[in-house]
Amino acid sequence: MHPKTIIEPFKIKSVEPIRFTTREEREALLKEAGYNPFLLPAEDVLIDLLTDSGTSAMSAKQWAGIMEGDESYAGSKSFYRFEAVIKSLTHMKHIIPTHQGRAAEKILFSIVGGTGKFIPNNTHFDTTRANVEFTGAEAVDLLNEIGKHPEIRADFKGNMDIEKLEAFIKEKGSENIPLCMITITNNSGGGQPVSMQNIRETKEICKKYGIPLFLDACRFAENAYFIKLREKGYENKTPLEIAQEMFSYADGVTMSAKKDALVNIGGFLAMNDDELAMKCRNLLIVTEGFPTYGGLAGRDLEAVAQGLLEIVDEHYLQYRIRSIEYLGERLIAAGVPIIEPPGGHAIYIDAKRFLPNIPADQYPGQSIVAELYLEGGVRAVEIGSVMFGKYDNNGKLIPSMMELVRMAIPRRVYTQSHIDYLIEVVIEVFKNRDKLKGYKITYEAPMLRHFTAKFEPIK
Ligand code: F0G
């Protein structure tokens, strides 16, 4: 039998209740939070899609690893297990634990960054960009043109623009480009994958100019599975083999284990260059901890090692990618505009097409985010002009390129009926879109304003 129904490849041993609220309660709660869901107590959220980071459900084996964690300060058994699993996955020479992805970025760019330097990437995630720019270097996005069009369907919308990359290296000079990065999958561009061919071609160009290639590999397993589904020659390879090939083209890796290592906290840096590794370890000791724990407990290292073995399971990845696609299909069928095709970890609603009458300076994405909460207790996040908008000299908003609402799906947490409920909520909000109002900002911090801004609906 070849069953049509793809099921969750696990059964549930431990559950966590979720709290139902009434619309009246949610109206009061959202007003209290200044219409910013970041400021809502998580307890008052029914389905929490703020992020897929650190929100995974751990397996029984991961919890067993938590008990087995060796908490020795130096040379802990758990570190050696962590190192062995990551070495067999990446074949990198040096494995350096960090407490999360941005800590790995901070260490790496503190060493290679600085004024006058440039870091190309398909698209930098915000913390990566911030860590590059904090050193005075410039973070440059060289995404393929097709990745910038939410309505166009293509297999690998996360690909680097190879021609632009080469032209960029020639213009700036390879001596000013300490490394090149590829983010897999491309979170800021809709969770879209990068093809093996594109990783290989990027590596060839980097090699030609003597520039190391690093992967921002938070969602490497989801990317590997997309390659299996969509790229010729990979259909019979295992996700692990595909991932190993992806890493074989890289000289280094930064990883937030909070995504595709199925843990609540953790990360690492990996690389082949001995001298760079020595510098990273020295900085790690100052900022994170001894090189065999890097800001983590021994138990966390165990959970990461076990999570990395589980994430490449083909049944898991089939269920994971299919459940996001299912959500996307249902929304598309109802006419809801989203980034197509669905990505690996989230669905991104295109707020510009959802609410064409609300201009960017009245934050259409924020309006949808507020309504999703009011309608069904769903928490999503605006990725548009609230997050990326800047002001010109006259105080006028320079809007973000795209106005998106991200619904990120935590791993192994919600079942299909949670997703069916979510679909109902989104469709209901879409049906009532003519009633939605724009928002104005009443308070904002000078940096990263989306976390703490307060809003009011425009009457
Ligand atoms: N790189 C990418 C592509 C990410 O998506 C993230 C985090 C990081 C680096 C930083 O890792 O959070 O462990 O420090 N993304 C989360 C998100 C926060 O919601 O997309 P971190």
Side-chain angles (χ1 to χ4, degrees):
M1 174 186 166
H2 292 288
K4 279 210 312 260
T5 310
I6 294 166
I7 60 172
E8 285 86 359
F10 48 80
K11 52 186 180 169
I12 297 166
K13 196 191 282 280
S14 176
V15 298
E16 197 180 343
I18 48 179
R19 192 169 98 80
F20 291 85
T21 48
T22 63
R23 182 160 182 126
E24 289 67 42
E25 284 171 323
R26 291 194 293 275
E27 275 167 4
L29 287 160
L30 192 64
K31 195 170 175 200
E32 177 70 17
Y35 297 91
N36 184 350
F38 271 110
L39 304 178
L40 284 170
E43 218 191 351
D44 298 325
V45 174
L46 188 65
I47 306 275
D48 202 347
L49 309 179
L50 195 59
T51 181
D52 64 320
S53 179
T55 50
S56 298
M58 292 211 294
S59 67
K61 278 198 176 160
Q62 285 178 294
W63 283 109
I66 294 276
M67 283 309 295
E68 294 217 330
D70 172 4
E71 303 304 340
S72 305
Y73 190 91
S76 123
K77 193 174 81 190
S78 303
F79 169 73
Y80 292 116
R81 180 164 182 232
F82 172 91
E83 187 187 42
V85 169
I86 299 169
K87 273 194 176 171
S88 74
L89 172 67
T90 64
H91 293 295
M92 296 281 155
K93 203 166 158 195
H94 302 281
I95 311 296
I96 303 172
T98 61
H99 80 272
Q100 61 184 84
R102 69 198 70 180
E105 294 162 2
K106 168 86 181 151
I107 288 169
L108 180 65
F109 293 117
S110 299
I111 292 163
V112 305
T115 312
K117 298 278 198 288
F118 299 89
I119 308 289
N121 200 327
N122 49 351
T123 314
H124 288 85
F125 179 67
D126 1 337
T127 60
T128 325
R129 170 175 294 279
N131 274 309
V132 168
E133 290 178 348
F134 191 74
T135 70
E138 211 176 297
V140 185
D141 294 341
L142 299 175
L143 184 66
N144 212 289
E145 184 57 33
I146 205 155
K148 298 176 193 166
H149 300 275
E151 69 292 351
I152 300 177
R153 286 186 86 94
D155 285 343
F156 292 106
K157 289 175 77 176
N159 280 357
M160 176 83 87
D161 188 323
I162 303 287
E163 280 166 25
K164 273 201 190 143
L165 175 65
E166 184 155 23
F168 183 80
I169 297 171
K170 282 186 183 154
E171 183 197 329
K172 302 295 179 191
S174 57
E175 67 282 9
N176 298 317
I177 304 176
L179 60 86
C180 171
M181 257 196 154
I182 302 182
T183 304
I184 50 173
T185 56
N186 184 23
N187 185 11
S188 308
Q192 301 292 320
V194 179
S195 70
M196 191 73 86
Q197 185 183 343
N198 190 254
I199 298 175
R200 204 183 296 123
E201 286 173 2
T202 304
K203 171 66 187 179
E204 277 162 21
I205 291 189
C206 286
K207 204 169 159 191
K208 181 167 160 192
Y209 294 93
I211 298 169
L213 175 63
F214 271 64
L215 296 180
D216 176 346
C218 307
R219 299 177 180 86
F220 75 94
E222 289 166 5
N223 199 88
Y225 196 69
F226 277 120
I227 289 177
K228 183 177 169 79
L229 292 179
R230 298 179 182 174
E231 194 163 345
K232 219 169 155 276
Y234 291 93
E235 43 290 86
N236 297 321
K237 297 218 157 120
T238 65
L240 177 62
E241 286 165 345
I242 297 172
Q244 284 167 331
E245 185 180 336
M246 283 162 27
F247 288 118
S248 75
Y249 301 120
D251 302 285
V253 178
T254 61
M255 168 98 185
S256 166
K258 299 171 76 172
K259 286 81 166 171
D260 271 357
L262 296 165
V263 290
N264 307 119
I265 197 73
F268 62 83
L269 249 176
M271 64 198 66
N272 286 326
D273 185 315
D274 296 336
E275 196 189 323
L276 181 61
M278 190 257 301
K279 288 181 182 161
C280 288
R281 286 200 177 100
N282 286 342
L283 191 53
L284 184 85
I285 293 175
V286 180
T287 59
E288 293 273 299
F290 192 73
T292 61
Y293 75 85
L296 293 169
R299 54 180 169 271
D300 299 321
L301 299 169
E302 286 284 344
V304 170
Q306 181 59 34
L308 287 172
L309 298 178
E310 292 174 13
I311 198 79
V312 288
D313 174 64
E314 204 154 333
H315 286 293
Y316 164 78
L317 285 168
Q318 182 191 37
Y319 138 80
R320 170 72 176 165
I321 299 302
R322 177 60 196 145
S323 47
I324 312 282
E325 186 185 47
Y326 169 83
L327 167 60
E329 270 171 11
R330 294 297 169 98
L331 296 181
I332 293 166
V336 180
I338 63 166
I339 293 193
E340 293 195 49
H345 69 293
I347 291 293
Y348 295 68
I349 296 174
D350 184 353
K352 260 190 209 170
R353 284 184 289 151
F354 194 113
L355 294 176
N357 298 328
I358 299 186
D361 64 2
Q362 294 183 19
Y363 306 110
Q366 198 64 29
S367 175
I368 296 171
V369 160
E371 200 56 30
L372 287 172
Y373 181 68
L374 294 174
E375 187 63 44
V378 169
R379 176 155 71 170
V381 65
E382 194 263 11
I383 302 193
S385 292
V386 174
M387 195 178 270
F388 298 125
K390 295 201 169 105
Y391 294 110
D392 68 13
N393 291 337
N394 303 318
K396 196 168 171 290
L397 181 82
I398 309 168
S400 153
M401 187 175 73
M402 291 200 255
E403 301 293 341
L404 302 173
V405 171
R406 185 182 77 170
M407 300 186 291
I409 312 296
R411 294 172 182 77
R412 304 193 294 207
V413 169
Y414 294 116
T415 63
Q416 182 165 354
S417 33
H418 290 115
I419 300 294
D420 283 331
Y421 168 84
L422 168 66
I423 291 165
E424 257 186 71
V425 173
V426 178
I427 292 176
E428 191 60 27
V429 171
F430 185 61
K431 278 190 195 146
N432 295 325
R433 62 191 180 280
D434 292 342
K435 296 189 200 119
L436 265 58
K437 303 241 166 25
Y439 278 76
K440 65 173 183 222
I441 294 181
T442 57
Y443 162 79
E444 64 186 291
M447 263 181 84
L448 295 171
R449 64 176 181 172
H450 54 285
F451 291 118
T452 54
K454 300 224 167 173
F455 302 85
E456 251 172 36
I458 297 169
K459 294 272 170 344

